[in-house]
Amino acid sequence: MELIVTVSQINRRLSLLLKGDKQIQNISVKGEISNFKDHFQSGHLYFTLKEGNASIKAVMFRSYAEKLGFLPENGMNVIVSGSVQFYERDGICQLYAARIERDEGIGDDALSFEQLKEKLSKEGLFSQKRPIPPVPRSICIITSETGAAIQDILNVLSRRYPFVKIKLVPVLVQGIDAPASISRGLETAQKSGCDLIIFGRGGGSSEDLSAFNTEIVARSVYNSRIPTISAVGHETDFTISDFTADKRAPTPSAAAEIAVPDINEIFREVTALKNGIGEKVRSRISDLQTKVDTSAALISHLNPKARIDEKERTVSISFSLIKKEFSALISAKESQLRNVTDLITAFDPLKTLERGYSLVYKNGIIITSVADLKGGDVFTVKMSDGEFEAVVSADGRK
């Protein structure tokens, strides 16, 4: 009869097996620190000890960590002394560190990072810093289509500047095939007709971000004919691709903030411009009217008829010229204001919808081509007075 056991029974047996192996209960392990986390509240240190393609999770509790004379960091070569045990709750094998000693030199990954950084810097790949378009018409986003980064970027773009067109180029962002996938994505983006490229992924360990520390990705970023914004990991993460890009953003959300202006700020500037022009025109007319009144009073006081007639003609001509000048000025400013107002109205997507047009979304992304839909796809159609969902017929007819 087949034996049926529970998960806790399996984990308990593995724990007992490891505890019974005396050779790993008092052992020293040499490796490179990665994914280091210092939990300030608990005082415990968590990290991964790696060597080549092998790795083991490790923890040093506060009582031991307080005795360290240094703070470990990613890329550091160390010798960790302690015991190997099986953590039953999470079902993982861990190295419980009692002592950490620094080994000479830096780790292989850190050394490779510095060597590649120095090589590319000498070749001038870090010196190209082109300006980011102030108001891009379209943006190409190169990232995983299922990651959190794409949602963060889309949320910020829709809030700040909903008029920008977006094209997603889905790529792998981690794993052995990720560097080649990202490089191909950058090549594809060159044919998209976009004004700007945002590439990257959300946060993760140094291993998770390693694809963006490769030479193939760095050179693809540098060779891009379209300006690029690197949005890899968190604010404290730096990759080789950050240095080759035209602009580094600390997070994917920050990249979206950098990429487009705030439409609300544009509206405020237009309103301020309109009010400022009106105030300047009124002030100038008031000043000239005062001068005219002063001149008329002076002429009246001097009284000689010839001089009065001459001054009246001069004042009349001057006032006519002034009225003509400011009428032209006011007309020009009013025309400018109408152009700005028409531009804002033209960009209003609701106005476009009222003329009988509609917007088609799939998974929150605007569909611009029937090639983006296939049989069975569910999509949303937004019109001026509401929206509804529809399904592409099974035979793929749209």
Side-chain angles (χ1 to χ4, degrees):
M1 182 177 178
E2 181 182 0
L3 177 65
I4 300 176
V5 297
T6 65
V7 174
S8 59
Q9 288 173 328
I10 287 291
N11 286 1
R12 181 60 178 167
R13 184 171 180 81
L14 291 173
S15 176
L16 292 173
L17 286 173
L18 288 181
K19 286 182 179 179
D21 189 344
K22 300 301 181 185
Q23 291 185 343
I24 61 174
Q25 296 311 307
N26 187 13
I27 193 171
S28 295
V29 185
K30 182 177 181 178
E32 177 186 340
I33 290 178
S34 68
N35 202 22
F36 178 78
K37 294 183 178 67
D38 182 359
H39 282 220
F40 295 100
Q41 292 183 343
S42 67
H44 307 326
L45 306 181
Y46 298 89
F47 57 96
T48 299
L49 197 62
K50 58 181 291 186
E51 179 266 323
N53 293 325
S55 65
I56 184 172
K57 291 187 179 298
V59 58
M60 174 175 268
F61 293 125
R62 179 176 181 175
S63 58
Y64 293 110
E66 290 176 341
K67 300 175 183 177
L68 282 177
F70 67 98
L71 182 65
E73 58 185 37
N74 290 329
M76 182 180 289
N77 272 345
V78 294
I79 298 174
V80 180
S81 299
S83 62
V84 178
Q85 299 179 29
F86 191 81
Y87 188 31
E88 294 183 38
R89 191 196 72 180
D90 293 345
I92 59 174
C93 182
Q94 289 190 132
L95 174 60
Y96 290 81
R99 187 173 68 255
I100 301 177
E101 299 175 282
R102 280 180 289 192
D103 201 9
E104 291 297 328
I106 61 175
D108 293 340
D109 286 350
L111 180 60
S112 298
F113 179 90
E114 293 300 331
Q115 288 175 341
L116 180 58
K117 181 180 175 183
E118 181 178 2
K119 172 187 175 181
L120 299 182
S121 178
K122 287 181 179 179
E123 292 184 30
L125 268 68
F126 298 167
S127 60
Q128 176 177 267
K129 302 299 174 190
R130 294 167 294 188
I132 303 302
V135 186
R137 294 169 300 175
S138 58
I139 298 176
C140 197
I141 303 173
I142 302 175
T143 189
S144 169
E145 61 182 338
T146 59
I150 181 62
Q151 296 303 322
D152 291 342
I153 292 172
L154 291 177
N155 287 339
V156 174
L157 291 178
S158 63
R159 170 175 54 83
R160 285 178 62 85
Y161 197 73
F163 310 128
V164 68
K165 295 181 179 179
I166 299 166
K167 179 176 180 59
L168 172 64
V169 179
V171 297
L172 300 174
V173 293
Q174 70 182 72
I176 191 171
D177 297 323
S181 178
I182 297 169
S183 180
R184 288 193 299 270
L186 285 161
E187 292 176 4
T188 300
Q190 306 306 308
K191 308 169 188 176
S192 67
C194 293
D195 307 312
L196 180 65
I197 293 173
I198 298 176
F199 68 90
R201 57 155 293 157
S205 66
S206 58
E207 290 85 356
D208 294 337
L209 308 182
S210 61
F212 297 92
N213 281 326
T214 57
E215 185 169 355
I216 183 175
V217 173
R219 292 193 181 278
S220 295
V221 173
Y222 177 77
N223 291 330
S224 172
R225 298 184 299 274
I226 303 171
T228 57
I229 299 178
S230 175
V232 182
H234 298 304
E235 188 167 358
T236 55
D237 297 320
F238 279 87
T239 65
I240 296 295
S241 298
D242 289 332
F243 299 109
T244 53
D246 295 297
K247 184 76 174 179
R248 175 194 179 258
T251 63
S253 295
E257 296 273 354
I258 294 170
V260 295
D262 186 348
I263 189 64
N264 295 318
E265 183 62 30
I266 293 177
F267 286 149
R268 285 192 291 269
E269 290 178 0
V270 169
T271 300
L273 175 64
K274 176 182 176 181
N275 295 337
I277 292 174
E279 183 60 32
K280 287 181 179 180
V281 169
R282 287 190 294 271
S283 177
R284 183 61 174 157
I285 291 176
S286 177
D287 290 343
L288 292 174
Q289 185 64 54
T290 300
K291 290 180 180 180
V292 170
D293 293 342
T294 302
S295 298
L298 180 60
I299 292 172
S300 176
H301 178 72
L302 294 176
N303 200 29
K305 190 174 185 308
R307 294 185 63 184
I308 290 174
D309 293 339
E310 180 182 354
K311 292 297 183 181
E312 284 181 346
R313 285 192 300 271
T314 301
V315 169
S316 178
I317 293 171
S318 296
F319 192 72
S320 296
L321 290 174
I322 291 169
K323 289 178 65 177
K324 182 179 180 180
E325 176 185 349
F326 278 91
S327 293
L329 176 61
I330 291 171
S331 177
K333 296 302 180 182
E334 287 177 343
S335 178
Q336 289 180 10
L337 288 175
R338 283 194 299 273
N339 289 339
V340 172
T341 302
D342 291 342
L343 179 60
I344 294 173
T345 302
F347 273 115
D348 187 353
L350 294 180
K351 295 294 183 181
T352 303
L353 297 182
E354 289 175 359
R355 295 199 299 271
Y357 291 89
S358 61
L359 297 174
V360 179
Y361 293 84
K362 175 186 172 184
N363 296 331
I365 299 176
I366 292 179
I367 300 300
T368 59
S369 169
V370 294
D372 293 332
L373 293 172
K374 60 182 182 296
D377 278 356
V378 177
F379 59 95
T380 301
V381 178
K382 182 177 179 62
M383 306 186 74
S384 63
D385 60 346
E387 61 183 43
F388 64 89
E389 290 191 344
V391 181
V392 180
S393 61
D395 60 2
R397 290 180 297 175
K398 305 169 177 71

